[in-house]
């Protein structure tokens, strides 16, 4: 099991905030056997384990099967537009950094229609967790190829083998500046829960790409596919393994040490592009650097005093209180 | 006092050579001297080299539009002289540099125009020698020379320029004031010795009662909008760089002490959706964009509509379609703004008509957005954004912040009452006026869901017909409420005599030329006109507008677009067809002279349609 993922802290409200409490009254309408159930459970457990007050959790989702996830969690849930969850969530977090912001969506939503936001969210490093349900297909519209489907693959939903190369979300995330990049698997509840909790605890933009079998349209990456053993150096091993167990450590210990940062980044790239039959789970890369919310204070020092949402602009009688004298400056004649 | 009470000056040159700086100096100098000024800025989508010009009108009267014929053209490049030479009125003057242009090259230059050859380089050389400066570094001062020479011709005392320079060059740059004054003094003295100086009779009288120092503003509309937003408590403005909207963002970035986070986004999809996200938290947020960017925002505005989010969108209109005329103006996004987004949802669409309304609307739009919990689209345009004017200080008296119906948590200590804190709230409760209590993330007891799908009162997806009807109807009831509550003079206003010969219906920046034109029309042409200026387009104040139109003797619309969009909107909303229409679609603003000309064509010649086209 992953070793560099911190165990969730024991919180005083554990009794009152069991994961069950985080289930909304709305019942998921996903297909039986869908990986989305496992991811939703893990999100609820991670919130519960970290004791994030649900009324302070702003949970954004994109559009597609996974987009409905926000409806199933008892917190402030926002089912946004296709591909735009990161734009919504960054707006919310930048406006009110006190919120716990979680984002979820499909691989088509995040790496396809929302690819532009995916790129720039990395550059900003706003403090939030982005969970991508990666099943290689657009399930809700009958299984078209998503950006992660390998070239030449033909899941049953496709009429012919796929002729476009897949995106590598981890390499892309690394190139864009994501400060926490991890992979987990929908049916490995324990690892997923711990990974999500670690991502939520990470201060910065965290990506967790979750392998999520689509039982209806993707008959290539099924639960039994991930369960089966593969042969490595002549001996059978589980297909899914934990990278940390084999000595891989993607966590930068000292972000001011340029050599370490460079070494870890190159090691991550190597790991990301390693050709193997197996599928590694765990953290590819993690670094602690200032978030957007912190960096923006350099230009707006007043944000050291106030959270943006708390900047005062009216009195108790709702009279506006901002003095425009400085803003008019030399425009006063 | 036998001179004029108004002058109309123009300076032009390649972009990046200081046309803006010299116009700014002239505007400021004339403002300091007590005149009312109006500056029109025209430029290309280009950084350096292409032709740009600035038109400055200075008057004893408050003016809010440009005029066409110019009495003095200052230039140091050939293109300005050849492009605008014909616009100089008889007995006007041209200041130019013999090295770059010969008067005989200037087509259409009236024979009565006096030409002044100003040896710009010689003056700079002298200043360089006297001050031991590098002449190459003084080239930008050609602008000061042109302004000083113009002042001498107009009979404006030079000391006003010194005061203006002090306002422009502050702090470390203050040493540039004496340097510029040296060049100015030489040009000012030199032109007075030139042949033809006495022939130029366009001397402007000094202002008898110079307004008290500090009593006015010299400002453009983009800044007025920025200040309105600051006053309203907007502390987040998102944008993707686009002309002319970016001017507002550039201004806001110079004011970090207010804490407005100006977020540069990867595209307008992000800009609009970030505003949606921010507005959900209770932040007063807006995005600033122009045509092409506004197109990209359509889907996100629809989301704000169905989710009842108080998002504010500023679309600084420019010439379209597509990239169109990126640095020119147009009033061609009205129909699009009203209909933006697929499906149907309530939106409030307003357009300011002048600097004061830019400030007022930029303040009020957040109140409207929060009171009616729906997106508000504000439609300024490039003319308002970029024109510089002297105006009184904004009226800040009586301004109130209205946050609308915000949920009040009853849970005192959420950690003590976790059950209560996690309770579900009816964010979309069906109410009589359509407005439901809006809870904000972080509030205990306020949990609800938002979705672009049709939804239940707590925000879960539904396709149930009865709920669909209830929610759709509830959302639209907010527009009825808005129409009842928004003060009438913020919806539309009739300027001028009620018993006019002709009622001109206009919106946005056409207000300025109309108000300037009306007294002259009556005085010089015996035509009594009034102006019905409309500011609220969705919901549309059909009843009030119709009442005015039905009483009018003759009606005409005046808009800077091809298809007379307001004219069509009024027909759609009221069934009334305005009799005549005036349009302009060159991307250049309608001037006072054009407004007069168009109204005369309608009233005197019964022209059904007038197409205006003046200006380069």
């Amino acid at each position: 099991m992953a070793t560099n993922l911190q165990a969730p802290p024991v919180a005083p409200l554990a009794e009152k905030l069991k994961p069950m409490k985080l289930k909304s009254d709305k019942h998921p309408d996903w297909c039986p056997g869908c990986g989305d159930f496992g991811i939703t459970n893990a999100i609820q457990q991670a919130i519960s384990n970290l004791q994030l007050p649900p009324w302070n959790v702003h949970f954004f989702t994109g559009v597609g099967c996974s987009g409905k996830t926000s409806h199933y969690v008892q917190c402030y849930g926002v089912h946004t537009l296709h591909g735009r969850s990161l734009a919504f969530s960054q707006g919310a977090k930048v406006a009110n950094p006190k919120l716990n912001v979680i984002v979820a969506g499909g691989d088509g939503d995040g790496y396809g229609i929302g690819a532009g936001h995916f790129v720039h969210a990395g550059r900003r490093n706003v403090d939030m967790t982005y969970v991508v349900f990666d099943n290689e297909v657009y399930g809700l519209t009958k299984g078209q190829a998503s950006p992660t489907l390998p070239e030449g693959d033909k899941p049953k939903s496709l009429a012919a083998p796929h002729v476009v190369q897949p995106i590598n979300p981890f390499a892309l995330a690394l190139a864009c500046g994501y400060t926490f990049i991890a992979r987990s698997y929908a049916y490995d509840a324990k690892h997923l829960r711990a990974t999500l909790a670690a991502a939520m605890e990470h201060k910065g933009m965290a990506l967790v790409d979750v392998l999520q079998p689509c039982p209806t349209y993707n008959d290539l990456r099924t639960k039994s596919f991930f369960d089966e053993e593969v042969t490595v150096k002549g001996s059978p091993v589980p297909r899914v393994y934990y990278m940390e167990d084999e000595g891989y450590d993607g966590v930068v210990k000292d972000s001011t040490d340029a050599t370490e940062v460079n070494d870890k980044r190159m090691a991550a790239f190597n790991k990301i592009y390693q050709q193997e039959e197996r599928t590694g789970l765990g953290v590819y890369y993690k670094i602690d650097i200032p978030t957007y919310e912190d960096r923006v204070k350099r230009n707006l020092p007043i944000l050291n005093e106030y959270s943006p949402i708390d900047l005062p602009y009216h009195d108790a009688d709702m009279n506006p209180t901002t003095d425009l004298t400085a803003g008019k400056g030399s425009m006063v004649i | 006092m036998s001179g004029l009470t108004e002058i109309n000056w123009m300076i032009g040159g390649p972009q990046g050579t200081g046309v803006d700086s010299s116009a700014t100096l002239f505007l400021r100098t004339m403002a300091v001297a007590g005149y009312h000024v109006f500056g029109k800025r025209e430029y290309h989508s280009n950084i350096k080299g292409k032709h740009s010009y600035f038109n400055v009108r200075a008057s004893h009267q408050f003016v809010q539009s440009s005029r066409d014929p110019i009495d003095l053209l200052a230039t140091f490049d050939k293109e300005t002289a050849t492009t605008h030479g014909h616009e100089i009125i008889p007995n006007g003057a041209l200041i130019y540099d013999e090295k770059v242009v010969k008067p005989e090259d200037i087509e259409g230059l009236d024979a009565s125009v006096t030409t002044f050859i100003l040896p710009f380089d010689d003056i700079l050389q002298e200043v360089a020698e006297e001050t031991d400066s590098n002449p190459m570094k003084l080239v930008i001062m050609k602008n000061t020379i042109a302004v000083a020479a113009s002042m001498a011709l107009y009979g404006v005392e030079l000391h006003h320029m010194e005061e203006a320079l002090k306002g422009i060059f502050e702090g470390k740059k203050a040493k540039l004031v004496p340097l510029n004054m040296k060049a100015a003094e030489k040009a000012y003295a030199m032109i007075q010795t030139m042949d033809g100086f006495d022939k130029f009779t366009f001397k402007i009288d000094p202002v008898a009662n110079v307004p008290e120092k500090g009593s006015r503003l010299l400002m453009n509309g983009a800044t007025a909008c920025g200040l309105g937003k600051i006053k309203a408590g907007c502390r987040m403005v998102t944008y993707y760089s686009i002309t002319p909207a970016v001017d507002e963002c550039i201004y806001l970035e110079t004011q970090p002490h207010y804490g407005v986070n100006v977020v540069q986004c990867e595209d307008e999809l992000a800009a609009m959706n970030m505003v949606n996200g921010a507005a959900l938290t209770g932040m007063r947020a807006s995005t600033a964009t122009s045509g092409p960017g506004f197109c990209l925002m359509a889907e996100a505005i629809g989301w704000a509509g169905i989710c009842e989010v108080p998002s504010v969108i500023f679309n600084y209109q420019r010439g379209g379609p597509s990239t169109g005329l990126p640095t020119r103006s147009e009033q061609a996004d009205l129909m699009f703004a009203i209909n933006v987004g697929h499906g149907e949802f309530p939106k409030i669409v307003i357009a300011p008509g002048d600097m004061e309304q830019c400030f007022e609307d930029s303040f009020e739009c957040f109140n409207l957005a929060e009171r009616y919990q729906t997106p508000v689209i504000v439609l300024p345009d490039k003319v308002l954004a970029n024109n510089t004017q002297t105006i009184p200080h904004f009226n800040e008296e009586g301004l109130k912040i209205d946050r609308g119906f915000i949920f009040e948590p009853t849970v005192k200590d959420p950690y003590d009452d976790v059950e209560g804190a996690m309770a579900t709230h009816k964010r979309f409760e069906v109410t009589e006026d359509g407005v439901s209590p809006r809870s904000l993330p972080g509030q205990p007891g306020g949990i609800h869901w938002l979705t672009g799908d049709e939804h239940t009162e707590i925000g879960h997806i539904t396709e149930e017909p009865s709920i669909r009807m209830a929610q759709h109807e509830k959302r639209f009831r907010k527009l009825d409420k808005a129409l009842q509550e928004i003060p009438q003079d913020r919806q539309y206003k009739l300027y001028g005599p009620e018993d006019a010969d002709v009622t001109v219906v206009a919106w946005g920046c056409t207000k300025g030329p109309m108000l300037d034109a009306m007294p002259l029309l009556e005085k010089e042409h015996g035509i009594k006109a009034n102006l019905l200026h409309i500011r609220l387009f969705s919901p549309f104040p059909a009843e009030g507008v119709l009442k005015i139109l039905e009483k009018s003797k003759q009606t005409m619309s005046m808009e800077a677009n091809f298809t007379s969009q307001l004219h069509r909107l009024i027909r759609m909303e009221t069934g009334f067809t305005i009799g005549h229409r005036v349009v302009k679609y060159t991307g250049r603003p309608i001037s006072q002279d054009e407004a007069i000309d168009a109204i005369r064509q309608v009233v005197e010649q019964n022209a059904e349609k007038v197409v205006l086209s003046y200006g380069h």
Side-chain angles (χ1 to χ4, degrees):
Chain A
M1 180 56 208
T3 49
N4 68 354
L5 298 176
Q6 291 174 7
V10 179
L13 287 178
E15 278 306 296
K16 290 175 180 169
L17 276 180
K18 283 191 176 146
M20 275 305 288
K21 296 254 186 191
L22 281 147
K23 292 198 186 301
S24 77
D25 290 340
K26 191 85 175 169
H27 189 71
D29 60 3
W30 293 314
C31 307
C34 178
D36 291 4
F37 289 102
I39 306 176
T40 307
N41 287 340
I43 289 171
Q44 288 158 343
Q45 285 164 351
I47 293 172
S48 159
N49 288 356
L50 294 177
Q51 291 293 290
L52 305 180
W55 55 91
N56 201 56
V57 173
H58 216 185
F59 181 26
F60 295 86
T61 51
V63 162
C65 293
S66 59
K68 295 179 183 173
T69 308
S70 50
H71 287 281
Y72 308 139
V73 181
Q74 185 71 18
C75 66
Y76 281 88
V78 189
H79 181 194
T80 71
L81 288 162
H82 200 19
R84 313 293 158 224
S85 59
L86 285 176
F88 273 84
S89 53
Q90 288 175 88
K93 181 71 181 181
V94 168
N96 185 359
K98 293 179 288 184
L99 297 170
N100 302 102
V101 175
I102 304 168
V103 194
D107 47 341
D109 190 86
Y111 310 143
I113 189 170
H117 308 310
F118 182 81
V119 167
H120 297 276
R123 292 176 54 219
R124 289 192 191 93
N125 195 36
V126 171
D127 180 19
M128 60 173 73
T129 297
Y130 183 33
V131 188
V132 176
F133 296 37
D134 188 349
N135 63 10
E136 304 175 349
V137 292
Y138 287 90
L140 204 52
T141 50
K142 299 189 172 29
Q144 295 76 18
S146 91
T148 50
L149 183 71
E151 181 190 350
D153 273 12
K154 187 195 160 310
K156 68 179 179 189
S157 55
L158 262 63
H162 193 40
V163 292
V164 180
Q165 296 181 70
I167 202 168
N168 187 319
F170 306 104
L172 182 61
L174 197 56
C176 297
Y178 280 71
T179 51
F180 182 104
I181 302 166
R183 173 151 68 183
S184 191
Y185 173 43
Y187 290 115
D188 187 339
K190 210 170 154 191
H191 184 268
L192 180 55
R193 185 167 67 225
T195 307
L196 291 178
M200 290 177 196
E201 283 202 304
H202 171 73
K203 227 172 149 33
M205 187 71 210
L207 169 70
V208 181
D209 181 279
V210 186
L211 301 166
Q212 175 250 318
C214 171
T216 305
Y217 291 112
N218 189 342
D219 55 344
L220 301 177
R221 248 68 65 190
T222 58
K223 184 169 181 298
S224 48
F225 169 83
F226 289 113
D227 284 349
E228 69 194 18
E229 292 193 325
V230 294
T231 308
V232 172
K233 290 176 189 160
S235 28
V237 293
R239 182 186 294 278
V240 174
Y241 74 104
Y242 304 121
M243 297 189 291
E244 285 95 341
D245 288 355
E246 300 191 358
Y248 180 76
D249 178 7
V251 180
V252 175
K253 307 292 181 297
D254 178 4
S255 66
T256 62
D257 180 347
T259 311
E260 193 207 350
V261 173
N262 194 49
D263 289 350
K264 283 272 158 65
R265 199 176 279 154
M266 294 320 292
F269 266 119
N270 279 329
K271 193 73 192 162
I272 286 164
Y273 281 109
Q274 190 175 327
Q275 295 289 326
E276 58 178 353
E277 285 288 298
R278 301 181 303 163
T279 304
L281 303 185
V283 177
Y284 282 108
Y285 186 72
K286 170 175 157 61
I287 186 169
D288 289 316
I289 55 169
T291 60
Y292 175 88
E293 303 89 291
D294 289 331
R295 278 182 265 142
V296 80
K297 291 175 188 168
R298 296 174 196 161
N299 294 344
L300 302 173
I302 193 171
L303 297 183
N304 288 307
E305 271 173 79
Y306 298 98
S307 186
I309 193 84
D310 297 328
L311 283 164
Y313 60 89
H314 63 77
D315 62 17
D317 297 323
M318 306 310 279
N319 299 304
T321 48
T322 312
D323 181 357
L324 297 181
T325 310
K328 291 177 188 168
S330 63
M331 287 175 277
V332 177
I333 290 285
Chain B
M1 298 282 181
S2 55
L4 304 170
T5 57
E6 182 169 305
I7 52 139
N8 195 23
W9 178 82
M10 185 190 283
I11 190 156
Q15 269 164 217
T17 58
V19 173
D20 274 10
S21 323
S22 42
T24 304
L25 176 60
F26 190 59
L27 279 164
R28 202 174 173 92
T29 300
M30 297 304 275
V32 162
Y35 299 98
H36 297 278
V37 296
F38 183 91
K40 179 181 82 165
R41 179 178 169 227
E42 287 292 343
Y43 53 101
H44 274 89
S45 179
N46 153 270
I47 296 174
K48 281 189 176 170
K50 282 210 172 182
H51 174 63
S52 69
Y53 68 94
F54 218 123
N55 200 195
V56 176
R57 178 181 186 184
S59 177
H60 284 220
Q61 312 255 317
F62 180 70
V63 282
Q64 40 191 332
S65 63
S66 60
R67 295 211 51 194
D68 291 331
I70 40 183
D71 33 56
L72 175 54
L73 173 63
T75 177
F76 22 78
D77 79 319
K78 187 174 177 178
E79 191 175 0
T80 304
T82 53
T83 306
H84 299 283
H86 72 277
E87 296 180 56
I88 305 172
I89 54 172
N91 300 314
L94 168 70
I95 294 174
Y96 69 104
D97 188 340
E98 200 181 24
K99 283 184 194 148
V100 295
V101 65
K102 303 266 181 279
E104 53 267 32
D105 296 339
I106 305 169
E107 213 176 306
L109 187 68
D110 194 278
S112 66
V113 169
T114 314
T115 52
F116 295 95
I117 305 167
L118 216 51
F120 289 92
D121 291 334
D122 298 349
I123 295 173
L124 289 179
Q125 189 63 39
E126 274 181 42
V127 175
E129 279 165 20
E130 286 169 28
T131 58
D132 205 15
S133 315
N134 177 355
M136 293 306 288
K137 287 196 173 160
L138 301 183
V139 173
I140 193 75
M141 280 171 31
K142 279 189 181 179
N143 301 297
T144 311
I145 292 171
V147 172
S150 303
M151 288 171 67
L153 283 168
Y154 282 133
V156 180
E157 289 177 21
L158 192 61
H159 65 88
H160 296 304
M161 182 194 270
E162 188 165 8
E163 201 187 328
L165 284 167
K166 282 179 185 162
I168 294 169
F169 298 120
E170 292 174 307
K172 276 186 190 166
K173 288 184 173 174
K175 62 176 189 290
L176 294 173
V177 175
L179 203 61
N180 274 276
M181 280 311 291
K182 206 170 242 321
E185 280 156 13
K186 285 181 192 298
Y188 195 84
M190 186 183 284
I191 201 159
Q192 295 187 52
T193 65
M194 288 183 177
D195 283 349
F197 180 80
D198 296 327
K199 213 188 115 195
F200 185 78
T201 55
F202 297 87
K203 309 284 179 209
I204 187 164
D205 283 339
V207 175
N209 300 307
V210 175
E212 197 186 330
K213 199 174 170 185
S215 65
R216 295 184 301 163
L217 301 172
L218 178 64
M219 192 174 281
N220 65 33
T223 307
C225 288
L227 282 165
K229 288 185 179 186
I230 291 171
K231 191 76 184 179
C234 169
R235 294 295 177 263
M236 190 162 156
V237 174
T238 65
Y239 78 106
Y240 180 81
S241 311
I242 194 164
T243 303
V246 73
D247 289 351
E248 180 201 300
C249 303
I250 291 171
Y251 166 71
L252 289 171
E253 282 171 347
T254 64
Q255 306 295 322
H257 45 275
Y258 290 120
V260 182
N261 190 359
V262 184
V263 185
Q264 189 188 351
C265 301
E266 54 270 28
D267 53 36
E268 284 89 353
L269 307 171
M272 185 61 224
N273 286 306
M274 275 196 200
V275 165
N276 284 346
L280 285 178
T281 70
M283 169 66 81
R284 289 191 145 193
S286 84
T287 184
T289 190
S290 297
F294 185 57
C295 290
L296 293 188
M297 295 179 176
E299 186 193 25
I301 295 171
W303 194 93
I306 196 168
C307 289
E308 310 198 32
V309 186
S311 297
V312 171
I313 303 102
F314 272 61
N315 173 26
Y316 287 88
Q317 297 170 95
R318 68 186 217 187
S322 190
T323 310
L325 299 165
T327 61
R328 313 293 174 176
S329 203
E330 204 164 58
Q331 299 179 299
D333 295 347
L334 179 60
M335 284 299 197
F336 180 49
I338 289 169
N339 295 296
V340 70
H342 62 285
E344 298 165 298
F345 57 94
K347 52 184 97 73
I348 292 175
V349 180
I350 57 177
D354 58 25
M355 300 288 144
E356 175 124 37
Q357 292 178 2
C358 278
F359 177 80
E360 205 172 82
D361 286 356
S362 304
F363 178 86
E364 281 300 331
C365 60
F366 294 95
N367 286 344
L368 295 174
E370 294 205 307
R371 184 166 183 82
Y372 306 108
Q373 299 181 358
T374 208
V376 174
I377 298 164
V378 186
L379 296 174
D381 55 35
K382 179 256 164 183
V383 171
L384 287 171
N386 286 163
N387 288 353
T388 306
Q389 229 185 299
T390 38
I391 46 167
H393 278 279
F394 302 123
N395 183 10
E396 296 180 40
E397 288 299 309
L399 292 180
K400 282 274 181 192
I401 302 284
D402 182 355
R403 305 282 333 248
F405 189 6
I406 292 185
F407 168 75
E408 298 248 352
T410 50
V411 173
K412 294 283 171 272
D413 178 2
Y415 292 91
D416 194 46
D417 179 9
V418 172
E419 199 83 15
M422 288 182 68
T424 299
H425 164 69
K426 283 188 182 175
R427 166 68 187 93
F428 303 106
E429 188 179 357
V430 176
T431 58
E432 207 181 316
D433 64 0
V435 178
S436 322
R438 179 174 156 234
S439 59
L440 309 171
Q443 285 185 318
I447 288 176
H448 62 271
W449 292 270
L450 293 152
T451 174
D453 290 64
E454 189 55 271
H455 43 251
T456 61
E457 288 186 313
I458 58 171
H460 281 317
I461 299 170
T462 184
E463 294 179 16
E464 167 62 40
S466 63
I467 301 178
R468 157 67 169 186
M469 284 180 74
Q471 287 293 325
H472 219 34
E473 289 162 5
K474 155 198 147 48
R475 286 192 292 268
F476 274 101
R477 279 202 293 277
K478 297 187 295 184
L479 281 189
D480 301 335
K481 180 178 163 74
L483 197 56
Q484 278 168 23
E485 293 177 347
I486 295 172
Q488 192 232 282
D489 64 351
R490 292 266 169 81
Q491 302 187 5
Y492 58 87
K493 191 170 173 178
L494 189 68
Y495 296 86
E498 274 197 30
D499 62 336
D501 305 317
V502 60
T503 295
V504 181
V505 186
W507 62 290
C509 65
T510 311
K511 172 173 183 273
M514 270 308 301
L515 289 189
D516 285 345
M518 277 154 51
L520 291 167
L521 270 167
E522 185 162 11
K523 198 170 136 201
E524 291 172 13
H525 306 286
I527 299 172
K528 236 202 270 183
N530 61 17
L531 166 68
L532 175 57
H533 187 252
I534 297 178
R535 284 171 79 180
L536 177 68
F537 306 93
S538 172
F540 192 77
E543 208 179 310
V545 167
L546 180 62
K547 219 175 266 176
I548 292 173
L549 291 175
E550 281 178 336
K551 274 198 279 184
S552 302
K553 289 182 194 152
Q554 199 168 20
T555 54
M556 60 187 279
S557 63
M558 191 183 294
E559 304 175 63
N561 58 45
F562 185 82
T563 59
S564 300
Q565 297 194 14
L566 178 60
H567 179 284
R568 289 191 290 136
L569 179 65
I570 288 173
R571 185 162 57 197
M572 187 175 94
E573 292 283 353
T574 67
F576 186 96
T577 301
I578 292 171
H580 308 262
R581 57 201 191 97
V582 179
V583 292
K584 184 168 184 179
Y585 39 87
T586 60
R588 275 63 169 179
I590 295 170
S591 67
Q592 171 190 303
D593 305 274
E594 283 184 308
I596 291 172
D597 176 54
I599 293 167
R600 287 186 63 198
Q601 284 192 50
V602 167
V603 175
E604 294 168 2
Q605 297 159 34
N606 199 28
E608 190 196 336
K609 181 182 172 184
V610 180
V611 179
L612 302 172
S613 62
Y614 195 90
H616 184 74

